[in-house]
Amino acid sequence: MYSQKIQNLSESATIAISTLASELKAKGRDVLSFSAGEPDFDTPQVIKDEAIRALNSGFTKYTAVAGIPELREAICKKLKKDNNLSYTPKQILVSNGAKQSLFNIFQALINDGDEVIIPAPYWVTYPELATYSGGKPVFINTDENSNFKITAKQLKEAITSKTKILVLTTPSNPTGMVYTKAELTEIAQVLKDTKIWVVSDEMYEKLLYGVSFTSVASISDDMMKRTITVNGLSKAVAMTGWRMGYLASVDDKLVKLMDNLQSQCTSNINSITQKASVVALSGDADNDIEMMRDAFEKRRDLGCELINNIAGLSVQKPQGAFYLFINIKGVSRFGGDSMKFCSELLSQEGVALVPGSAFGMEGYVRFSFACSTEQITEGIKRIEKFVRG
Ligand SMILES: Cc1ncc(COP(=O)(O)O)c(C=O)c1O
């Protein structure tokens, strides 16, 4: 029979809903999907040009498992310039998207029964990875009063002798909230005399709206040592399909162990993506990145305004990423049941959202605004009709 481990693993709820929406569309239904966490923009041309050059020059062979030297150099430069973090190339491991970076980390650190603290609402993958690697997710629930961020006090209360990892996502998927330097400093204080690793998922770092960003590892030398910084190009540079993510840790041995793991399963990421990624990180695509960020900011403002005008719905303005985490508790006929809300909305109005239950929080639904303003306007018009009943 199949392994217990694999049978316990769930399909990603966001991918499941996007797939369902695509299937309905293929059957001829008029479906608007706001479920995928994927920019609607094309990859900037300078990056594509470099990929074509790499392909035509025959750069099509295996590379070092952790990535070509110039890519790891480029990542180090980026981390220094943008985040004030000093890593050496051998402290970088490039993987098939940040998803694989996270998989490597959990496999490398978790022993059976180790606890992984995950602030809720959370990105769907963390609890699955924690469980799959033998660990136990421990959730810290947040709410709108704390802008969906954990406090130092909550963290202190959640720590036990078995705590191995704290996961921090800033900006957050699904809420878009960003931790301030002061908040991270308080968290760092709680961790100071512990052996807890911090996994800092900074995937949405480039998508910020009027706030500044602090990398968790930059808070102190102690945080630099205990933090594994995770980032990638999927969201910021519209490169979801290229599969480029990376992790950085000053623990050379840990990085080598994860390199060993990757060498036994997927080896290096696509060689052409690696060359293109050097250009993506070089600054040559910065104007395109800013153009996309600016468009997302306008869409965020539009989406928030339209949603907050609907009786029964409300949303806190996200400070980053491209999601609205919409409070549906005021729509009394659902009693906060986010799955019921999403399935009826999809079948009645052809609008796909992700239920908050998938992110560990009932009473909310996630709306991705990584799509055109026309789609946002039309989708929210349908949501309003649906909510009115
Ligand atoms: C918070 C967060 N981390 C990591 C990822 C993984 O991104 P990728 O594997 O495309 O690099 C995602 C994608 O949805 C995400 O939302």
Side-chain angles (χ1 to χ4, degrees):
M1 252 330 249
Y2 313 119
S3 78
Q4 201 49 54
K5 215 170 148 175
I6 201 79
Q7 292 185 80
N8 290 344
L9 193 70
S10 312
E11 181 185 13
S12 156
T14 43
I15 292 179
I17 288 166
S18 304
T19 308
L20 180 63
S22 307
E23 282 168 8
L24 286 172
K25 234 182 209 169
K27 283 185 192 152
R29 275 287 309 271
D30 170 23
V31 172
L32 287 175
S33 183
F34 302 96
S35 55
E38 177 160 55
D40 58 330
F41 295 104
D42 195 2
T43 304
Q45 192 59 44
V46 275
I47 299 171
K48 294 202 280 188
D49 287 345
E50 181 61 18
I52 293 163
R53 241 189 320 273
L55 187 57
N56 286 338
S57 70
F59 194 74
T60 54
K61 310 286 192 215
Y62 288 133
T63 73
V65 170
I68 53 176
E70 64 259 48
L71 176 55
R72 281 183 282 161
E73 281 285 354
I75 292 168
C76 288
K77 275 195 195 136
K78 176 260 175 272
L79 289 167
K80 184 71 200 159
K81 181 168 152 276
D82 294 351
N83 313 102
N84 197 26
L85 301 174
S86 299
Y87 293 104
T88 64
K90 72 174 181 197
Q91 296 171 337
I92 308 291
L93 175 60
V94 178
S95 303
N96 274 279
K99 265 191 183 165
Q100 190 183 17
S101 307
L102 291 163
F103 181 84
N104 287 339
I105 295 167
F106 279 73
Q107 290 296 321
L109 292 180
I110 300 287
N111 283 314
D112 282 355
D114 283 349
E115 293 178 356
V116 179
I117 296 181
I118 303 173
Y122 46 74
W123 178 50
V124 294
T125 295
Y126 308 130
E128 296 297 331
L129 287 185
T131 309
Y132 191 74
S133 52
K136 181 173 165 256
V138 172
F139 301 111
I140 299 181
N141 291 316
T142 66
D143 59 27
E144 290 186 41
N145 295 327
S146 62
N147 294 318
F148 298 110
K149 291 186 268 191
I150 60 165
T151 61
K153 182 167 174 284
Q154 282 181 304
L155 176 60
K156 211 180 211 163
E157 286 164 6
I159 291 174
T160 73
S161 58
K162 290 190 174 162
T163 307
K164 190 66 171 279
I165 293 178
L166 164 68
V167 178
L168 283 175
T169 315
T170 178
S172 154
N173 173 4
T175 69
M177 294 306 165
V178 177
Y179 282 86
T180 63
K181 190 169 183 189
E183 288 162 346
L184 293 175
T185 305
E186 284 182 23
I187 287 172
Q189 202 57 35
V190 175
L191 296 172
K192 205 157 179 262
D193 296 314
T194 71
K195 290 192 170 145
I196 299 169
W197 293 89
V198 176
V199 174
S200 179
D201 185 337
E202 305 184 358
M203 277 304 286
Y204 295 93
E205 170 216 2
K206 293 282 178 193
L207 302 177
L208 292 177
Y209 315 120
V211 293
S212 60
F213 178 77
T214 304
S215 264
V216 175
S218 71
I219 293 294
S220 61
D221 285 348
D222 177 67
M223 286 301 274
M224 184 71 183
K225 282 189 197 124
R226 68 173 73 247
T227 300
I228 304 161
T229 303
V230 175
N231 209 328
L233 299 179
S234 289
K235 316 289 177 172
V237 202
M239 290 180 70
T240 46
W242 298 69
R243 309 312 297 135
M244 193 288 194
Y246 59 88
L247 62 83
S249 163
V250 291
D251 188 326
D252 295 16
K253 173 141 188 234
L254 174 65
V255 177
K256 178 69 183 108
L257 291 172
M258 293 188 277
D259 184 314
N260 292 349
L261 169 64
Q262 193 166 301
S263 78
Q264 300 293 5
C265 46
T266 57
S267 290
N268 60 275
I269 72 162
N270 177 313
S271 56
I272 298 155
T273 292
Q274 293 189 56
K275 283 281 190 191
S277 299
V278 175
V279 171
L281 290 161
S282 70
D284 288 358
D286 282 2
N287 287 342
D288 298 283
I289 293 172
E290 173 52 21
M291 177 278 291
M292 293 188 267
R293 192 212 60 81
D294 186 59
F296 287 133
E297 182 162 5
K298 293 192 171 92
R299 295 167 185 188
R300 171 199 73 150
D301 291 344
L302 172 70
C304 284
E305 195 190 328
L306 295 174
I307 289 291
N308 282 324
N309 278 336
I310 302 175
L313 299 184
S314 64
V315 63
Q316 286 192 335
K317 230 176 193 188
Q319 301 165 318
F322 40 57
Y323 308 105
L324 302 181
F325 202 54
I326 303 171
N327 185 329
I328 58 161
K329 288 183 260 188
V331 189
S332 54
R333 71 182 189 279
F334 293 103
D337 185 337
S338 59
M339 184 49 106
K340 189 161 183 272
F341 184 99
C342 288
S343 54
E344 288 185 20
L345 177 64
L346 184 56
S347 67
Q348 288 174 31
E349 295 297 332
V351 172
L353 306 181
V354 187
S357 55
F359 307 101
M361 186 164 283
E362 270 302 2
Y364 292 83
V365 294
R366 193 192 75 173
F367 177 108
S368 165
F369 56 84
C371 55
S372 70
T373 51
E374 292 74 25
Q375 274 172 302
I376 292 170
T377 309
E378 173 58 22
I380 298 180
K381 212 196 263 168
R382 293 190 200 179
I383 293 172
E384 181 168 20
K385 182 166 166 256
F386 171 75
V387 166
R388 279 214 194 114

